[in-house]
């Protein structure tokens, strides 16, 4: 304890304050420098984020942000976010009645586990974003099939790229990794409820993924499919395949299944697009659990659990792409609205194992409910599969043509 206090008193650097931004509203939270690194006062941080803090016995300290709980222990370089232990580079400290959190809580933990936060290290800004989960109004009638309205608020002023589609500024072609969900011994979901022509998810995802690949190639980008046959690829390997080949975008295709029971279950329908983040809603949690189930079918290769460090490093790499992934998800979701009979269930965030391993903007599209008889029929038809594939491919191409402009700098 004394050592820790001394450690604090040797504070020598004055790091810049943290800016917490929500839309136009800005709050400033002071940051304390020590020789070891930066700290931030738990109470001030929680207040700026609209959360709360509480003491627990034995030097435990808990910060609640919405339904996310982050727990730290004085002097211990680990944090618990929900049920996950996260290694920290510095321990939490106490100075009198003040509890100090390592700055990593701001730069890593909250964006990762809080849901709806984005940390920009260049401006030292923690942004609270409110557009993460959004349900779209019904699509406009006809006419504007493949160009969704510009995404992300200010996106309407994004300059259009003048170079041919599919090419990076460097002249290289983009590489899109297309992932057909499930496969081999893992069939994914089956439907529909109440009988009718049987739908098996792994077959639909492969059929649609192949068409997406075809459309993308026609659009001038390179494509890599994680599987082209009825085989099982470990969830973690799907992302790895994408990384190894330096993919620019990762798109995973899936068919949804109802989580409800009783007579309403079979009626559930619609399409939704996910990007990586901690799952927020009950429904997102359900889809996340369902899609992560494939791990059951995997042997050997899949072993991320024993290595929390690689997990968090992974995770921070992905976090840089969070907003890009969100934009891509919105573009795809809006595109689907131009022809899909089901309602838009919006853009969602969830923590899919398949998205977790990829170091690029990554989304997972649930193209409809295989449990609903009408939608199962729709998903089984070649013409619908082609419509879905064309729409996803066009959205990816649109997204890519804005990508470099948005990422900025143009030095990629
Ligand atoms: Zn699936």
């Amino acid at each position: 304890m004394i050592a820790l206090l001394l450690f604090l008193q040797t504070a020598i650097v004055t790091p810049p304050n943290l800016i917490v931004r929500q839309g136009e509203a800005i709050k400033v939270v002071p940051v304390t420098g020590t020789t070891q690194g930066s700290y931030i006062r738990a109470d001030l941080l929680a207040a700026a984020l609209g959360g709360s803090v509480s003491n627990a016995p034995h030097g435990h300290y808990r910060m609640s942000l919405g339904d996310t709980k982050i727990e730290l222990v004085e002097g211990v370089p680990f944090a618990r976010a929900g049920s996950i232990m996260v290694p920290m580079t510095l321990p939490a400290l106490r100075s009198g009645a003040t509890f100090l959190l390592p700055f990593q809580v701001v730069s890593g933990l909250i964006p990762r586990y809080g849901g709806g936060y984005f940390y920009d290290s260049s401006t030292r800004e923690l942004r609270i974003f409110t557009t993460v989960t959004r349900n779209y109004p019904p699509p406009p009638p006809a006419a504007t099939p493949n160009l969704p309205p510009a995404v992300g608020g200010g996106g309407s002023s994004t300059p259009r790229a003048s170079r041919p589609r599919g090419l990076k500024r460097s002249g290289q072609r983009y590489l899109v990794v297309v992932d057909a969900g499930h496969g081999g011994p893992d069939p994914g979901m089956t439907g529909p409820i109440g009988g009718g022509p049987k739908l098996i998810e792994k077959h639909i995802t492969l059929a649609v993924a192949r068409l997406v690949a075809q459309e993308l190639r026609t659009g001038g980008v390179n494509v890599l499919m994680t599987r082209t046959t009825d085989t099982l690829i470990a969830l973690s390997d799907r992302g790895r395949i994408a990384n190894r080949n330096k993919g620019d975008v990762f798109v995973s295709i899936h068919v949804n299944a109802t989580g409800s029971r009783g007579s309403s279950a079979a009626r559930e329908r619609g399409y939704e697009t996910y990007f990586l983040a901690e799952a927020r809603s009950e429904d997102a949690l359900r889809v996340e659990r369902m899609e992560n189930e494939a791990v059951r079918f995997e042997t050997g290769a899949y072993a991320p659990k024993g290595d929390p460090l690689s997990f968090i490093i992974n995770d921070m790499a992905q976090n840089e792409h969070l907003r890009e992934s969100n934009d891509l998800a919105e573009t795809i979701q809006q595109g689907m609205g131009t022809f899909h009979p089901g309602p838009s269930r919006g853009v969602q965030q969830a923590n899919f194992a398949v998205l977790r391993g990829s170091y690029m903007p990554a989304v997972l599209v649930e193209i409809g409910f295989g449990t609903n008889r009408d939608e199962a029929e729709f998903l089984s038809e070649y013409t619908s599969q082609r419509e879905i594939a064309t729409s996803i491919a066009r959205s990816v191409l649109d997204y890519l043509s804005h990508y470099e402009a948005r990422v900025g700098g143009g030095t990629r």
Side-chain angles (χ1 to χ4, degrees), residues 181-182 187-189 201 205 253-256 287 290-291 364 366:
H182 311 277
M189 63 75 58
E201 181 179 0
T205 59
I253 313 277
H254 287 261
V255 177
N256 218 336
V287 175
M290 180 176 78
E291 301 303 5
L364 186 148
E366 295 281 1

Side-chain angles (χ1 to χ4, degrees), residues 175-181 205-217 221-228 238 241-242 247 249-253 360 363 389 392-393 396:
L175 176 65
V176 179
V177 180
V178 180
D179 177 53
T205 59
L206 182 57
V208 172
R210 280 193 175 131
L211 293 169
V212 171
Q214 209 178 77
E215 290 288 334
L216 284 170
R217 288 188 180 113
V221 301
N222 289 337
V223 176
L224 176 73
M225 295 185 71
T226 54
R227 70 180 180 98
T228 54
R238 294 176 195 249
I241 290 169
V249 170
F250 183 87
V251 182
S252 189
I253 313 277
M360 64 204 71
V363 296
I392 292 174
V396 169

Side-chain angles (χ1 to χ4, degrees), residues 187-385:
M189 63 75 58
T190 55
I193 292 172
K198 193 174 186 189
L199 173 148
I200 300 174
E201 181 179 0
K202 65 174 182 177
H203 297 319
I204 305 290
T205 59
L206 182 57
V208 172
R210 280 193 175 131
L211 293 169
V212 171
Q214 209 178 77
E215 290 288 334
L216 284 170
R217 288 188 180 113
T218 306
V221 301
N222 289 337
V223 176
L224 176 73
M225 295 185 71
T226 54
R227 70 180 180 98
T228 54
T229 58
D230 187 13
T231 50
L232 179 66
I233 311 288
L235 289 181
S236 54
D237 283 349
R238 294 176 195 249
R240 245 178 255 141
I241 290 169
N243 294 330
R244 204 183 306 133
N245 292 281
K246 301 199 181 353
D248 295 295
V249 170
F250 183 87
V251 182
S252 189
I253 313 277
H254 287 261
V255 177
N256 218 336
T258 183
S260 51
R261 289 163 190 272
S263 54
S264 65
R267 288 202 295 273
E268 203 166 353
R269 51 190 294 165
Y271 54 96
E272 57 199 14
T273 308
Y274 287 82
F275 68 100
L276 178 89
E278 189 77 347
R280 301 307 300 162
S281 67
E282 261 308 299
D283 208 44
L285 274 172
R286 171 187 64 75
V287 175
E288 173 187 315
R289 271 195 293 268
M290 180 176 78
E291 301 303 5
N292 289 346
E293 265 288 276
V295 170
R296 269 195 308 127
F297 298 93
E298 299 166 7
T299 48
Y302 188 81
K305 281 196 183 101
D307 190 356
L309 197 62
S310 77
F311 176 73
I312 194 74
I313 289 169
N314 236 357
D315 194 69
M316 289 170 84
Q318 177 55 251
N319 186 50
E320 291 171 21
H321 296 295
L322 194 65
R323 204 200 329 213
E324 288 301 314
S325 297
N326 187 16
D327 285 350
L328 174 59
E330 291 190 9
T331 307
I332 289 174
Q333 187 66 15
Q334 293 195 18
M336 297 271 281
T338 57
F339 67 89
H340 199 294
S344 169
R345 299 166 63 91
V347 167
Q348 314 267 353
Q349 46 177 336
N351 189 9
F352 290 116
V354 65
L355 300 182
R356 213 145 56 202
S358 58
Y359 295 80
M360 64 204 71
V363 296
L364 186 148
V365 192
E366 295 281 1
I367 58 176
F369 275 76
T371 39
N372 174 271
R373 192 189 296 219
D374 292 340
E375 221 155 79
E377 200 176 305
F378 172 76
L379 295 175
S380 301
E381 283 164 6
Y382 174 78
T383 45
S384 327
Q385 293 175 356

